[in-house]
Structure formats: structure tokens, C-alpha cells
Amino acid sequence: YPSMFESIHGSAPDIAGKGIANPIAQIWAAGGMLKHLGYVKWYDKLIEAFETLLQENKVLTPDLDGTSTTSEVGDEIVRILERGNN
């Protein structure tokens, strides 16, 4: 099946270059590709990492009432995955 893995949203020119875009949708899209390729375990780990990130409520972008940057949220997701607490 032909597949596409991308987050769907507008170009958000009002926040372009500010480093405050929420990266979860884009990472989730990559997870969809992992799942499609048969790496369901890794897809599940990503979903669990998102859930942990949101439950901890510490490292979030402004759209989720946080003060963190796009990079900081991405880095925190990596830390959660490395912790293995998800």
C-alpha cells in the first residue's frame, strides 16, 4: 500500500522560527511509519512516551500551557524513551 507519514497542520507563520511548535504530531507520524514497517513495539513505546510526557506535565510547548521549546520537548521524549519508564 502506498503510505504517507506526515503530521497535518497549517504552516503556522505566526510561530515560524520561534522554536515553540509542538513536535509530538511529527514524531507520531514517524511512529506511524515504524508501525507500518512492522515495528509495532517501537510505535507503542513512542505512544507511551507521549503519555508519560503529558502526565508529567513538566516539559511542554506553549500550546499545552508550557514554556518549553520544540527542541526541549523532543529531547524530553528521547529521555523518556531512554529511561524505559513508559
Side-chain angles (χ1 to χ4, degrees):
Y1 302 95
S3 300
M4 235 190 237
F5 306 97
E6 63 179 304
S7 53
I8 305 300
H9 52 72
S11 62
D14 56 322
I15 63 169
K18 294 181 180 178
I20 59 171
N22 187 329
I24 293 174
Q26 191 60 45
I27 298 168
W28 200 331
M33 182 174 63
L34 290 173
K35 187 176 182 180
H36 177 75
L37 294 172
Y39 296 97
V40 177
K41 173 182 152 187
W42 287 103
Y43 172 80
D44 292 342
K45 286 178 182 266
L46 274 178
I47 299 303
E48 291 171 7
F50 300 152
E51 291 171 350
T52 299
L53 178 85
L54 296 170
Q55 288 170 351
E56 290 178 352
N57 199 34
K58 294 178 185 175
V59 182
L60 301 173
T61 47
D63 63 311
L64 297 174
D65 294 327
T67 59
S68 301
T69 66
T70 303
S71 294
E72 289 168 341
V73 172
D75 291 345
E76 185 65 14
I77 291 169
V78 170
R79 279 191 287 278
I80 292 168
L81 288 167
E82 289 173 340
R83 267 193 337 229
N85 287 342
N86 47 10

